[in-house]
Amino acid sequence: MKVNFKDLILFENEDYIVINKPPHVATINERTADKSVSILRMAKEYSFDAQVAHRLDKETSGVLAIAKNPEAYRHLAMQFEHREVTKRYHAVANGVHDFDSISVFLPIAPLKDGTAVKIDRQKGKAAETIFFTLKAFKKHTLVECLPITGRMHQIRVHLQCLKAPIVCDPTYGGKDIYLSELKKDYKLKQETDELPIMHRVALHAYSLTFKLMNGDPITVEAPYPKDFGVLVKLLEKNN
């Protein structure tokens, strides 16, 4: 996968770079594949002292902040620690749901192998997410998700708790979505298997609000990548 780091930049000043991370690219260097592309590796080639200030899952697309120097990193890290950063995610969920500022406050613990999480009221760490319905379709819902805490897979497992798992997220009960489900007159070519519309968890980090070094607030929005945009357009068209 060829990625030009400059093409990802949404905002840049002397302290920060904010990018629109493509799906299927790891935020930090993966232990397994040393030569694979990562956002951190590309950022360091672009700006020597670059450090990612937070992480997005490999499959998740969207807005990601990178600090260009240690002072900027500390400044943003403190905002994350004190929960002064506002993160908004968009997800396409299975089922039709009316979420009007629904808060899920359920503790999360990692599974033993570390690849997924579960709700654990005894040993889990506190986790809270607020959900809003942006648009309901025939069998799916476009949901805005505001994570108050930043636990691994938090949005995904909290939506599962609301019986609204994210499309194409089998780990947490999310089903694939096919064009034949949306289009009444859809005809598949003979002897071909229909592929799902999305090939990853339908989750996109839509916006990030934080304070720059001079105290000015900034909100950066990341347009949908092609796959997520196509899915939303197909849902709207066939609603």
Side-chain angles (χ1 to χ4, degrees), residues 126-167:
E128 183 179 10
T129 320
I130 301 167
F131 297 102
F132 300 86
T133 291
L134 291 174
K135 191 154 189 184
F137 304 103
K138 282 177 188 166
K139 294 180 184 174
H140 302 88
T141 308
L142 180 63
V143 182
E144 185 163 80
C145 321
L146 272 71
I148 308 302
T149 49
R151 310 287 174 216
M152 174 181 163
H153 293 186
Q154 176 178 313
I155 291 169
R156 294 162 65 180
V157 75
H158 277 176
L159 276 172
Q160 182 189 34
C161 295
L162 292 172
K163 297 187 170 55
I166 299 176
V167 161

Side-chain angles (χ1 to χ4, degrees), residues 65-125:
I66 299 158
K68 283 178 160 182
N69 56 68
E71 294 77 21
Y73 177 80
R74 276 194 294 275
H75 180 71
L76 189 47
M78 291 305 287
Q79 291 177 68
F80 273 107
E81 199 176 311
H82 296 138
R83 295 178 190 166
E84 293 164 355
V85 177
T86 302
K87 296 175 283 180
R88 290 177 187 272
Y89 288 75
H90 288 181
V92 176
N94 290 112
V96 182
H97 308 279
D98 182 14
F99 299 140
D100 181 13
S101 191
I102 295 279
S103 172
V104 176
F105 191 76
L106 287 169
I108 292 171
L111 296 177
K112 278 180 184 168
D113 65 359
T115 60
V117 300
K118 63 177 179 178
I119 302 300
D120 189 330
R121 287 176 170 83
Q122 271 72 48
K123 296 175 186 170
K125 289 184 175 176

